[in-house]
Amino acid sequence: MKTRKIVVLAILFILIGSIFAGTISALDRNAPAAKPALENVRAYAAPTTSDGATLVVDGGNLLAGSVNNWAPVETPSGVIVNAVTTDATDPNLIYIGAANELAIYRSADGGTNWMRIPLTNDFIGGVTAIAVDSAQRLVYVGTDTAGLFRLRDVGSSMIVNGRLQVDAPVLEIAADSSGSGMVLARTASKLFRAENYGLRWLEVSNLGSSPTALAIAQTTSATIYVGTTDRGVLKSTDGLTWSTANEGLGMAPGTRLEVNALAIDPQQPNVIYVATSYLFGSTTLHETPLGVSMSTDGGTSWAMLNAMPETTVVELLPLAGEPAGVYALTSTSRTPLALGNTTAIENAAALAQAETAAVTSSAPQAATSMRTIVAWVIAGLAALALSFALATDLGRRRQRTATGNAEPAVEPGYVKHS
Protein backbone atom coordinates (compact mmCIF):
# COMPACT_ATOMS: atom_id res chain seq x y z
CA MET A 1 0.00 0.00 0.00
CA LYS A 2 2.87 2.31 0.81
CA THR A 3 4.50 1.69 -2.56
CA ARG A 4 1.27 2.51 -4.35
CA LYS A 5 0.94 5.85 -2.53
CA ILE A 6 4.48 6.76 -3.45
CA VAL A 7 3.82 5.97 -7.12
CA VAL A 8 0.58 7.98 -7.16
CA LEU A 9 2.36 10.96 -5.62
CA ALA A 10 5.14 10.66 -8.20
CA ILE A 11 2.56 10.70 -11.01
CA LEU A 12 0.91 13.74 -9.46
CA PHE A 13 4.20 15.67 -9.31
CA ILE A 14 5.04 14.71 -12.88
CA LEU A 15 1.66 15.90 -14.12
CA ILE A 16 1.99 19.19 -12.19
CA GLY A 17 5.43 19.65 -13.73
CA SER A 18 4.02 19.04 -17.20
CA ILE A 19 1.28 21.62 -16.66
CA PHE A 20 3.82 24.15 -15.37
CA ALA A 21 6.16 23.57 -18.32
CA GLY A 22 3.27 23.92 -20.76
CA THR A 23 2.13 27.16 -19.15
CA ILE A 24 5.63 28.67 -19.32
CA SER A 25 5.92 27.61 -22.97
CA ALA A 26 2.54 29.18 -23.78
CA LEU A 27 3.50 32.43 -22.06
CA ASP A 28 6.74 32.47 -24.02
CA ARG A 29 4.86 32.04 -27.31
CA ASN A 30 2.40 34.79 -26.38
CA ALA A 31 5.08 37.36 -25.45
CA PRO A 32 4.83 40.66 -27.35
CA ALA A 33 6.55 40.42 -30.70
CA ALA A 34 8.37 43.08 -32.67
CA LYS A 35 6.24 45.18 -35.00
CA PRO A 36 7.41 45.60 -38.59
CA ALA A 37 5.49 48.85 -39.10
CA LEU A 38 3.95 51.73 -37.18
CA GLU A 39 0.25 52.52 -37.46
CA ASN A 40 -0.84 55.30 -35.09
CA VAL A 41 2.10 57.50 -34.12
CA ARG A 42 1.50 60.09 -31.40
CA ALA A 43 5.05 61.00 -30.34
CA TYR A 44 8.57 60.42 -31.58
CA ALA A 45 12.10 60.76 -30.19
CA ALA A 46 15.01 60.21 -32.56
CA PRO A 47 18.36 59.28 -30.96
CA THR A 48 21.01 61.94 -30.49
CA THR A 49 23.83 59.40 -30.90
CA SER A 50 24.48 56.76 -33.53
CA ASP A 51 24.19 53.91 -31.02
CA GLY A 52 20.88 55.08 -29.54
CA ALA A 53 17.45 53.65 -30.34
CA THR A 54 14.53 55.58 -31.73
CA LEU A 55 11.56 55.75 -29.37
CA VAL A 56 8.03 56.12 -30.65
CA VAL A 57 4.55 56.19 -29.14
CA ASP A 58 2.21 54.11 -31.29
CA GLY A 59 -1.41 53.79 -30.20
CA GLY A 60 -0.59 54.65 -26.59
CA ASN A 61 2.24 52.09 -26.38
CA LEU A 62 5.97 52.80 -26.20
CA LEU A 63 8.16 51.11 -28.83
CA ALA A 64 11.90 51.17 -29.44
CA GLY A 65 13.91 50.19 -32.50
CA SER A 66 14.41 51.28 -36.06
CA VAL A 67 12.92 50.93 -39.52
CA ASN A 68 10.92 47.67 -39.92
CA ASN A 69 11.77 46.47 -36.42
CA TRP A 70 9.92 47.97 -33.45
CA ALA A 71 10.00 46.20 -30.10
CA PRO A 72 7.56 47.02 -27.28
CA VAL A 73 8.93 48.70 -24.15
CA GLU A 74 6.99 47.76 -21.03
CA THR A 75 5.53 50.75 -19.22
CA PRO A 76 3.59 50.98 -15.91
CA SER A 77 0.20 49.26 -15.96
CA GLY A 78 -2.70 51.48 -16.98
CA VAL A 79 -0.56 54.26 -18.46
CA ILE A 80 -1.55 55.48 -21.93
CA VAL A 81 1.66 56.99 -23.27
CA ASN A 82 1.30 60.28 -25.13
CA ALA A 83 4.77 61.89 -25.04
CA VAL A 84 8.36 60.67 -24.96
CA THR A 85 11.86 62.09 -24.92
CA THR A 86 15.37 61.11 -23.87
CA ASP A 87 18.32 62.87 -22.27
CA ALA A 88 20.78 64.01 -24.95
CA THR A 89 23.74 62.87 -22.82
CA ASP A 90 22.29 59.57 -21.62
CA PRO A 91 20.10 57.50 -24.01
CA ASN A 92 19.08 55.21 -21.12
CA LEU A 93 17.38 58.14 -19.37
CA ILE A 94 13.83 58.16 -20.75
CA TYR A 95 10.83 60.31 -19.87
CA ILE A 96 7.27 59.51 -20.90
CA GLY A 97 4.09 61.49 -20.38
CA ALA A 98 0.68 59.97 -19.72
CA ALA A 99 -2.42 60.87 -21.72
CA ASN A 100 -4.73 59.77 -18.93
CA GLU A 101 -3.16 61.53 -15.94
CA LEU A 102 -1.12 64.61 -15.12
CA ALA A 103 2.09 62.71 -14.44
CA ILE A 104 5.32 61.73 -16.11
CA TYR A 105 7.44 58.61 -15.65
CA ARG A 106 11.23 58.47 -15.54
CA SER A 107 13.43 55.47 -16.34
CA ALA A 108 17.19 55.51 -15.81
CA ASP A 109 17.76 52.04 -17.29
CA GLY A 110 16.26 52.23 -20.76
CA GLY A 111 12.69 51.42 -19.73
CA THR A 112 13.17 48.49 -17.34
CA ASN A 113 12.08 50.37 -14.22
CA TRP A 114 9.93 53.49 -13.96
CA MET A 115 9.48 56.20 -11.33
CA ARG A 116 6.17 58.11 -11.29
CA ILE A 117 6.29 61.89 -10.87
CA PRO A 118 2.88 63.55 -10.35
CA LEU A 119 2.55 67.14 -11.57
CA THR A 120 -0.57 68.41 -9.83
CA ASN A 121 -3.81 67.26 -8.24
CA ASP A 122 -5.70 70.44 -9.05
CA PHE A 123 -6.53 69.59 -12.67
CA ILE A 124 -7.68 66.65 -14.75
CA GLY A 125 -5.86 66.12 -18.02
CA GLY A 126 -2.83 64.62 -19.69
CA VAL A 127 0.74 65.35 -20.79
CA THR A 128 1.23 66.69 -24.32
CA ALA A 129 4.98 67.39 -24.62
CA ILE A 130 8.29 66.87 -22.80
CA ALA A 131 11.70 68.49 -23.35
CA VAL A 132 14.98 68.08 -21.45
CA ASP A 133 17.78 70.57 -20.79
CA SER A 134 20.53 68.03 -20.15
CA ALA A 135 23.13 70.61 -19.14
CA GLN A 136 20.97 72.02 -16.35
CA ARG A 137 19.19 68.73 -15.54
CA LEU A 138 15.83 70.38 -16.09
CA VAL A 139 12.72 68.75 -17.52
CA TYR A 140 9.89 70.78 -19.04
CA VAL A 141 6.44 69.21 -19.30
CA GLY A 142 3.49 70.58 -21.26
CA THR A 143 -0.10 69.58 -20.52
CA ASP A 144 -3.50 70.06 -22.12
CA THR A 145 -5.21 71.66 -19.11
CA ALA A 146 -2.64 72.78 -16.50
CA GLY A 147 -0.03 74.68 -18.50
CA LEU A 148 3.70 73.96 -18.40
CA PHE A 149 5.75 72.56 -15.51
CA ARG A 150 9.45 72.85 -14.78
CA LEU A 151 11.06 69.97 -12.89
CA ARG A 152 14.58 69.62 -11.58
CA ASP A 153 16.07 66.16 -11.98
CA VAL A 154 18.23 65.39 -8.96
CA GLY A 155 18.92 61.79 -9.98
CA SER A 156 17.03 59.80 -7.39
CA SER A 157 13.98 62.09 -7.46
CA MET A 158 12.43 65.00 -9.34
CA ILE A 159 11.13 68.25 -7.89
CA VAL A 160 8.41 70.42 -9.43
CA ASN A 161 9.62 73.99 -8.84
CA GLY A 162 8.21 76.16 -11.60
CA ARG A 163 5.11 76.55 -13.72
CA LEU A 164 3.70 78.55 -16.61
CA GLN A 165 -0.08 78.87 -16.54
CA VAL A 166 -1.62 79.23 -20.02
CA ASP A 167 -5.22 79.07 -21.17
CA ALA A 168 -4.61 76.58 -24.02
CA PRO A 169 -2.90 73.20 -24.45
CA VAL A 170 0.88 73.29 -24.73
CA LEU A 171 1.63 71.74 -28.12
CA GLU A 172 5.44 71.83 -28.33
CA ILE A 173 8.46 72.51 -26.14
CA ALA A 174 12.04 72.93 -27.37
CA ALA A 175 15.04 73.07 -25.01
CA ASP A 176 18.74 73.58 -25.68
CA SER A 177 21.16 71.23 -23.91
CA SER A 178 24.41 73.07 -24.65
CA GLY A 179 24.26 75.16 -21.47
CA SER A 180 22.52 78.29 -22.75
CA GLY A 181 19.31 77.51 -20.85
CA MET A 182 17.26 78.49 -23.88
CA VAL A 183 13.74 77.03 -23.78
CA LEU A 184 10.63 77.88 -25.78
CA ALA A 185 7.09 76.55 -25.74
CA ARG A 186 4.08 77.17 -27.91
CA THR A 187 0.33 76.85 -27.93
CA ALA A 188 -1.82 77.07 -31.06
CA SER A 189 -1.55 80.88 -31.09
CA LYS A 190 1.28 81.95 -28.75
CA LEU A 191 5.01 81.45 -28.30
CA PHE A 192 6.71 81.70 -24.89
CA ARG A 193 10.41 82.10 -24.04
CA ALA A 194 11.93 81.06 -20.71
CA GLU A 195 14.16 83.28 -18.61
CA ASN A 196 16.28 82.35 -15.60
CA TYR A 197 16.25 78.70 -16.67
CA GLY A 198 12.48 78.43 -16.77
CA LEU A 199 11.66 80.18 -13.50
CA ARG A 200 10.13 83.04 -15.51
CA TRP A 201 8.35 83.07 -18.87
CA LEU A 202 7.68 85.84 -21.39
CA GLU A 203 5.40 85.84 -24.41
CA VAL A 204 7.21 86.36 -27.72
CA SER A 205 5.19 89.07 -29.45
CA ASN A 206 7.38 90.14 -32.37
CA LEU A 207 6.91 87.22 -34.78
CA GLY A 208 4.38 89.09 -36.91
CA SER A 209 2.38 85.87 -37.24
CA SER A 210 1.06 82.97 -35.18
CA PRO A 211 3.49 80.12 -34.43
CA THR A 212 2.75 76.77 -36.07
CA ALA A 213 5.95 74.76 -35.40
CA LEU A 214 9.01 74.93 -33.15
CA ALA A 215 12.48 73.39 -32.97
CA ILE A 216 15.96 74.15 -31.60
CA ALA A 217 19.14 73.01 -33.34
CA GLN A 218 21.76 71.81 -30.86
CA THR A 219 24.62 73.61 -32.60
CA THR A 220 27.56 75.44 -30.98
CA SER A 221 25.33 78.48 -30.83
CA ALA A 222 21.81 77.14 -30.33
CA THR A 223 19.49 78.22 -33.15
CA ILE A 224 15.73 78.51 -32.83
CA TYR A 225 13.42 77.81 -35.77
CA VAL A 226 9.77 78.80 -35.66
CA GLY A 227 7.20 78.03 -38.33
CA THR A 228 4.45 80.60 -38.79
CA THR A 229 0.97 80.90 -40.26
CA ASP A 230 1.90 83.18 -43.15
CA ARG A 231 5.57 84.29 -42.86
CA GLY A 232 7.24 80.94 -43.48
CA VAL A 233 10.23 80.01 -41.32
CA LEU A 234 11.72 82.44 -38.80
CA LYS A 235 15.16 82.00 -37.26
CA SER A 236 16.84 83.34 -34.09
CA THR A 237 19.86 82.74 -31.88
CA ASP A 238 18.53 84.57 -28.83
CA GLY A 239 14.73 84.33 -28.99
CA LEU A 240 14.54 88.12 -29.18
CA THR A 241 15.31 89.08 -32.76
CA TRP A 242 14.06 87.11 -35.75
CA SER A 243 14.95 86.81 -39.43
CA THR A 244 13.20 84.96 -42.23
CA ALA A 245 14.74 81.75 -43.63
CA ASN A 246 12.64 81.06 -46.73
CA GLU A 247 15.12 80.92 -49.62
CA GLY A 248 13.87 78.15 -51.92
CA LEU A 249 10.50 77.66 -50.19
CA GLY A 250 8.54 79.71 -52.73
CA MET A 251 7.95 82.74 -50.55
CA ALA A 252 7.22 85.66 -52.86
CA PRO A 253 5.62 89.10 -52.44
CA GLY A 254 1.89 88.75 -52.03
CA THR A 255 2.03 85.07 -51.02
CA ARG A 256 1.22 83.64 -47.60
CA LEU A 257 3.49 80.73 -46.83
CA GLU A 258 2.32 78.56 -43.94
CA VAL A 259 4.63 76.11 -42.17
CA ASN A 260 2.69 72.97 -41.25
CA ALA A 261 5.54 71.04 -39.64
CA LEU A 262 9.23 71.47 -38.80
CA ALA A 263 11.88 68.99 -37.64
CA ILE A 264 15.65 68.85 -37.16
CA ASP A 265 17.91 65.81 -37.43
CA PRO A 266 19.33 65.51 -33.87
CA GLN A 267 22.59 64.01 -35.16
CA GLN A 268 22.98 66.55 -37.97
CA PRO A 269 21.63 69.86 -36.61
CA ASN A 270 22.11 71.64 -39.93
CA VAL A 271 19.71 69.22 -41.63
CA ILE A 272 16.18 70.58 -41.30
CA TYR A 273 12.86 69.46 -42.80
CA VAL A 274 9.83 71.68 -43.29
CA ALA A 275 6.32 71.06 -44.66
CA THR A 276 4.62 74.07 -46.23
CA SER A 277 1.36 75.24 -47.79
CA TYR A 278 0.04 78.35 -49.48
CA LEU A 279 -2.87 80.21 -47.89
CA PHE A 280 -5.42 82.11 -49.98
CA GLY A 281 -8.36 84.29 -49.00
CA SER A 282 -9.10 86.81 -46.31
CA THR A 283 -12.37 86.01 -44.56
CA THR A 284 -12.36 82.36 -45.65
CA LEU A 285 -8.95 80.73 -45.85
CA HIS A 286 -8.08 78.11 -48.44
CA GLU A 287 -4.97 75.97 -48.11
CA THR A 288 -2.95 74.46 -50.92
CA PRO A 289 -0.30 72.00 -49.68
CA LEU A 290 3.11 72.25 -51.35
CA GLY A 291 5.13 69.41 -49.86
CA VAL A 292 8.25 68.80 -47.77
CA SER A 293 11.54 70.64 -48.30
CA MET A 294 14.98 70.02 -46.83
CA SER A 295 17.88 72.28 -45.85
CA THR A 296 21.41 71.02 -45.26
CA ASP A 297 22.84 74.41 -44.26
CA GLY A 298 20.78 75.37 -41.25
CA GLY A 299 17.93 76.98 -43.15
CA THR A 300 20.01 79.24 -45.38
CA SER A 301 18.57 77.52 -48.46
CA TRP A 302 15.90 74.90 -49.13
CA ALA A 303 15.23 72.30 -51.81
CA MET A 304 11.99 70.39 -52.42
CA LEU A 305 12.24 66.81 -51.17
CA ASN A 306 8.71 65.62 -51.94
CA ALA A 307 5.89 67.52 -53.62
CA MET A 308 2.62 66.64 -51.87
CA PRO A 309 -0.21 68.76 -53.32
CA GLU A 310 -2.98 66.38 -52.21
CA THR A 311 -2.49 66.23 -48.45
CA THR A 312 -1.27 68.39 -45.57
CA VAL A 313 1.70 67.16 -43.54
CA VAL A 314 1.19 67.82 -39.82
CA GLU A 315 4.34 66.25 -38.36
CA LEU A 316 7.78 65.19 -39.59
CA LEU A 317 9.82 62.29 -38.16
CA PRO A 318 13.47 62.44 -39.27
CA LEU A 319 15.67 59.36 -39.46
CA ALA A 320 18.60 60.45 -37.32
CA GLY A 321 21.89 60.56 -39.22
CA GLU A 322 20.24 59.72 -42.57
CA PRO A 323 20.22 62.76 -44.89
CA ALA A 324 16.94 63.02 -46.83
CA GLY A 325 15.44 60.27 -44.69
CA VAL A 326 12.18 61.46 -43.14
CA TYR A 327 8.65 60.22 -42.49
CA ALA A 328 5.50 62.30 -42.47
CA LEU A 329 2.21 62.18 -40.61
CA THR A 330 -0.66 63.80 -42.48
CA SER A 331 -3.96 65.41 -41.59
CA THR A 332 -5.75 62.21 -42.61
CA SER A 333 -3.43 59.52 -41.23
CA ARG A 334 -1.08 58.92 -38.29
CA THR A 335 0.64 56.11 -40.17
CA PRO A 336 4.15 57.29 -41.16
CA LEU A 337 4.55 58.02 -44.86
CA ALA A 338 8.05 57.44 -46.26
CA LEU A 339 9.60 60.46 -47.98
CA GLY A 340 12.97 61.22 -49.56
CA ASN A 341 15.26 58.20 -49.69
CA THR A 342 13.46 56.32 -46.92
CA THR A 343 12.32 53.69 -49.41
CA ALA A 344 15.93 52.65 -50.01
CA ILE A 345 16.55 52.75 -46.26
CA GLU A 346 13.50 50.58 -45.63
CA ASN A 347 14.61 48.04 -48.25
CA ALA A 348 18.12 47.88 -46.79
CA ALA A 349 16.72 47.47 -43.28
CA ALA A 350 14.35 44.73 -44.41
CA LEU A 351 17.20 42.89 -46.14
CA ALA A 352 19.44 43.15 -43.07
CA GLN A 353 16.59 41.94 -40.88
CA ALA A 354 15.96 38.94 -43.17
CA GLU A 355 19.67 38.02 -43.18
CA THR A 356 19.84 38.29 -39.39
CA ALA A 357 16.74 36.13 -39.06
CA ALA A 358 18.24 33.50 -41.38
CA VAL A 359 21.48 33.37 -39.37
CA THR A 360 19.75 33.18 -36.00
CA SER A 361 16.82 30.96 -37.00
CA SER A 362 18.63 27.86 -35.71
CA ALA A 363 18.45 29.16 -32.15
CA PRO A 364 14.62 29.27 -31.98
CA GLN A 365 14.47 25.89 -33.75
CA ALA A 366 16.90 24.43 -31.21
CA ALA A 367 14.84 25.85 -28.37
CA THR A 368 11.69 24.39 -29.88
CA SER A 369 13.35 20.99 -30.35
CA MET A 370 14.57 20.99 -26.76
CA ARG A 371 11.05 21.81 -25.51
CA THR A 372 9.70 18.95 -27.66
CA ILE A 373 12.25 16.47 -26.26
CA VAL A 374 11.51 17.53 -22.68
CA ALA A 375 7.77 17.17 -23.32
CA TRP A 376 8.23 13.62 -24.70
CA VAL A 377 10.47 12.63 -21.77
CA ILE A 378 7.93 13.94 -19.25
CA ALA A 379 5.09 12.19 -21.07
CA GLY A 380 7.07 8.91 -21.20
CA LEU A 381 7.90 9.04 -17.50
CA ALA A 382 4.27 9.73 -16.67
CA ALA A 383 3.16 6.79 -18.84
CA LEU A 384 5.67 4.41 -17.24
CA ALA A 385 4.71 5.51 -13.75
CA LEU A 386 1.02 5.14 -14.54
CA SER A 387 1.57 1.65 -16.06
CA PHE A 388 3.53 0.55 -13.00
CA ALA A 389 0.80 1.81 -10.68
CA LEU A 390 -1.91 0.04 -12.67
CA ALA A 391 0.05 -3.21 -12.82
CA THR A 392 0.74 -3.10 -9.08
CA ASP A 393 -2.87 -2.37 -8.30
CA LEU A 394 -4.12 -5.14 -10.61
CA GLY A 395 -1.71 -7.67 -9.07
CA ARG A 396 -2.88 -6.85 -5.56
CA ARG A 397 -6.51 -7.21 -6.61
CA ARG A 398 -5.88 -10.67 -8.14
CA GLN A 399 -4.08 -11.79 -5.01
CA ARG A 400 -6.93 -10.63 -2.81
CA THR A 401 -9.50 -12.33 -5.04
CA ALA A 402 -7.60 -15.63 -5.03
CA THR A 403 -7.19 -15.57 -1.26
CA GLY A 404 -10.85 -14.77 -0.64
CA ASN A 405 -12.24 -17.74 -2.77
CA ALA A 406 -9.96 -20.56 -1.40
CA GLU A 407 -11.21 -23.11 1.23
CA PRO A 408 -9.43 -22.88 4.58
CA ALA A 409 -6.84 -25.59 5.07
CA VAL A 410 -7.96 -28.69 7.17
CA GLU A 411 -5.61 -29.72 9.88
CA PRO A 412 -4.84 -33.50 10.18
CA GLY A 413 -7.08 -35.40 12.61
CA TYR A 414 -9.85 -32.86 12.29
CA VAL A 415 -13.24 -34.28 11.25
CA LYS A 416 -15.74 -32.01 9.72
CA HIS A 417 -19.31 -32.57 10.87
CA SER A 418 -22.24 -31.90 8.62
Side-chain angles (χ1 to χ4, degrees), residues 75 164 287:
T75 54
L164 169 66
E287 181 182 36

Side-chain angles (χ1 to χ4, degrees), residues 180-236:
S180 69
M182 189 179 299
V183 185
L184 290 97
R186 78 170 184 92
T187 64
S189 60
K190 296 180 180 180
L191 182 69
F192 298 91
R193 175 175 54 83
E195 288 192 343
N196 195 20
Y197 300 103
L199 291 176
R200 183 167 176 256
W201 293 84
L202 297 175
E203 182 180 347
V204 178
S205 57
N206 61 342
L207 296 179
S209 185
S210 297
T212 59
L214 172 64
I216 291 182
Q218 308 287 338
T219 52
T220 303
S221 176
T223 305
I224 308 164
Y225 296 89
V226 175
T228 66
T229 300
D230 51 16
R231 293 192 64 200
V233 178
L234 301 181
K235 183 177 178 180
S236 175

Side-chain angles (χ1 to χ4, degrees), residues 77-144:
S77 177
V79 174
I80 302 173
V81 186
N82 195 49
V84 61
T85 194
T86 59
D87 190 299
T89 60
D90 184 0
N92 287 318
L93 191 52
I94 304 172
Y95 300 90
I96 59 173
N100 54 335
E101 60 176 325
L102 287 171
I104 66 170
Y105 292 79
R106 176 188 185 274
S107 175
D109 51 17
T112 302
N113 298 287
W114 295 94
M115 176 179 68
R116 182 179 183 272
I117 303 100
L119 301 174
T120 178
N121 294 321
D122 298 332
F123 296 84
I124 297 174
V127 174
T128 55
I130 308 176
V132 177
D133 180 347
S134 303
Q136 307 299 329
R137 300 190 68 155
L138 295 173
V139 180
Y140 297 90
V141 182
T143 69
D144 54 3

Side-chain angles (χ1 to χ4, degrees), residues 138-155:
L138 295 173
V139 180
Y140 297 90
V141 182
T143 69
D144 54 3
T145 58
L148 185 148
F149 293 83
R150 171 190 185 269
L151 298 88
R152 178 168 293 280
D153 187 347
V154 295

Side-chain angles (χ1 to χ4, degrees), residues 68-396:
N68 294 328
N69 186 22
W70 299 98
V73 178
E74 187 175 355
T75 54
S77 177
V79 174
I80 302 173
V81 186
N82 195 49
V84 61
T85 194
T86 59
D87 190 299
T89 60
D90 184 0
N92 287 318
L93 191 52
I94 304 172
Y95 300 90
I96 59 173
N100 54 335
E101 60 176 325
L102 287 171
I104 66 170
Y105 292 79
R106 176 188 185 274
S107 175
D109 51 17
T112 302
N113 298 287
W114 295 94
M115 176 179 68
R116 182 179 183 272
I117 303 100
L119 301 174
T120 178
N121 294 321
D122 298 332
F123 296 84
I124 297 174
V127 174
T128 55
I130 308 176
V132 177
D133 180 347
S134 303
Q136 307 299 329
R137 300 190 68 155
L138 295 173
V139 180
Y140 297 90
V141 182
T143 69
D144 54 3
T145 58
L148 185 148
F149 293 83
R150 171 190 185 269
L151 298 88
R152 178 168 293 280
D153 187 347
V154 295
S156 60
S157 63
M158 296 186 69
I159 302 171
V160 179
N161 60 354
R163 182 182 171 198
L164 169 66
Q165 179 64 53
V166 293
D167 56 1
V170 176
L171 301 181
E172 284 184 290
I173 310 171
D176 174 46
S177 289
S178 66
S180 69
M182 189 179 299
V183 185
L184 290 97
R186 78 170 184 92
T187 64
S189 60
K190 296 180 180 180
L191 182 69
F192 298 91
R193 175 175 54 83
E195 288 192 343
N196 195 20
Y197 300 103
L199 291 176
R200 183 167 176 256
W201 293 84
L202 297 175
E203 182 180 347
V204 178
S205 57
N206 61 342
L207 296 179
S209 185
S210 297
T212 59
L214 172 64
I216 291 182
Q218 308 287 338
T219 52
T220 303
S221 176
T223 305
I224 308 164
Y225 296 89
V226 175
T228 66
T229 300
D230 51 16
R231 293 192 64 200
V233 178
L234 301 181
K235 183 177 178 180
S236 175
T237 56
D238 57 11
L240 299 172
T241 58
W242 302 86
S243 61
T244 58
N246 297 318
E247 182 67 34
L249 290 179
M251 186 72 168
T255 62
R256 303 176 64 186
L257 185 67
E258 180 181 37
V259 173
N260 305 114
L262 180 68
I264 298 174
D265 185 332
Q267 295 179 23
Q268 301 177 106
N270 285 322
V271 176
I272 311 170
Y273 303 94
V274 62
T276 55
S277 298
Y278 280 134
L279 293 181
F280 301 95
S282 55
T283 57
T284 302
L285 288 179
H286 300 278
E287 181 182 36
T288 299
L290 295 175
V292 175
S293 300
M294 180 181 71
S295 173
T296 58
D297 53 14
T300 301
S301 61
W302 301 87
M304 180 63 73
L305 187 66
N306 281 85
M308 302 177 66
E310 302 299 328
T311 184
T312 302
V313 173
V314 297
E315 194 168 346
L316 292 167
L317 317 176
L319 281 173
E322 298 286 352
V326 64
Y327 289 83
L329 306 180
T330 70
S331 57
T332 58
S333 174
R334 303 296 297 188
T335 299
L337 177 65
L339 304 180
N341 67 351
T342 49
T343 302
I345 295 171
E346 284 181 335
N347 292 338
L351 179 62
Q353 185 180 7
E355 290 176 348
T356 302
V359 171
T360 60
S361 61
S362 59
Q365 289 176 0
T368 302
S369 299
M370 182 58 67
R371 285 196 296 267
T372 303
I373 292 172
V374 171
W376 276 109
V377 169
I378 292 174
L381 290 174
L384 287 174
L386 185 59
S387 299
F388 176 76
L390 290 175
T392 303
D393 186 64
L394 183 60
R396 288 181 177 277

